[in-house]
Amino acid sequence: THGEFYSVCDGHGGGECSKFISAEWKEVLQREWIATGVPKAELIPDWAQRIDNAFLAKGASAGSTCTGCFLAPNADSATGDVHVRVMNIGDSRTIVSRQGNTDHSPKDAGERERIEADGGFVGAGRVDGSLAVSRAFGDAEFKSNPLPKKRRVNVVPDISDAALGKEALDFVGIVCDGVLENGAFDNQSLVEFI
């Protein structure tokens, strides 16, 4: 059987982009997630780019981050473990038990390097002094480069794998940056809170 997909799409500049990509993820997964288990990691960036292209074609100016996870029974385990494949685009976060992904911030060296190579700059910790994330859907004004992976703001997801056992402490938490910003929670304090 297929697994399950859970995500948070956190819009900026309005909710149009997050609503669109939520619906598009559902369509893409229903149409193309054919195999059992979690989808192959190499499929996820292609799906994300196609969803972004479809939103950009609408000519809207909004944007959205997206983080989520695919869950499926672990075929290699007799213990009932669940395979978790996490994907993250932006500054929302998926935490699997005690592991969390990192945010895509323009302040990070690799992100800054890509932004500057595309003719942009990082000012006040923001892409071109404006956008606080360096990976997001939409945000057409940052995507003039014809090479999607080289754009100041792109949708190349970080992908990681984990396993959930039958332990009472194993869980997945998916949160937007509003839960994590301003020092309210870091990964560990969020785990403790849950």
Side-chain angles (χ1 to χ4, degrees), residues 117-191:
D118 191 36
F121 68 94
V122 176
R126 296 171 174 265
V127 178
D128 293 351
S130 174
L131 185 63
V133 295
S134 53
R135 298 192 197 185
F137 290 88
D139 298 312
E141 63 270 28
F142 303 104
K143 296 184 174 176
S144 59
N145 191 321
L147 302 172
K149 292 180 181 178
K150 304 286 185 180
R151 292 175 175 164
R152 280 175 272 174
V153 175
N154 69 33
V155 293
V156 176
D158 282 339
I159 299 171
S160 61
D161 291 290
L164 290 178
K166 292 187 175 187
E167 304 294 322
L169 296 177
D170 280 354
F171 64 89
V172 175
I174 305 173
V175 297
C176 69
D177 67 311
V179 173
L180 302 165
E181 62 190 16
N182 300 323
F185 288 103
D186 60 12
N187 286 355
Q188 185 57 41
S189 60
L190 185 62
V191 166

Side-chain angles (χ1 to χ4, degrees), residues 43-106:
L43 295 174
I44 299 168
D46 178 60
W47 292 341
Q49 188 60 60
R50 286 189 291 150
I51 292 168
D52 191 42
N53 291 345
F55 183 75
L56 293 171
K58 294 171 53 80
S61 62
S64 180
T65 65
C66 182
T67 190
C69 63
F70 301 88
L71 304 172
N74 193 341
D76 299 333
S77 174
T79 63
D81 288 348
V82 173
H83 185 177
V84 181
R85 176 153 290 147
V86 173
M87 69 103 200
N88 183 56
I89 298 167
D91 61 358
S92 295
R93 201 170 295 169
T94 298
I95 299 169
V96 181
S97 293
R98 291 162 200 85
Q99 302 172 184
N101 56 278
T102 57
D103 299 342
H104 295 128
S105 170

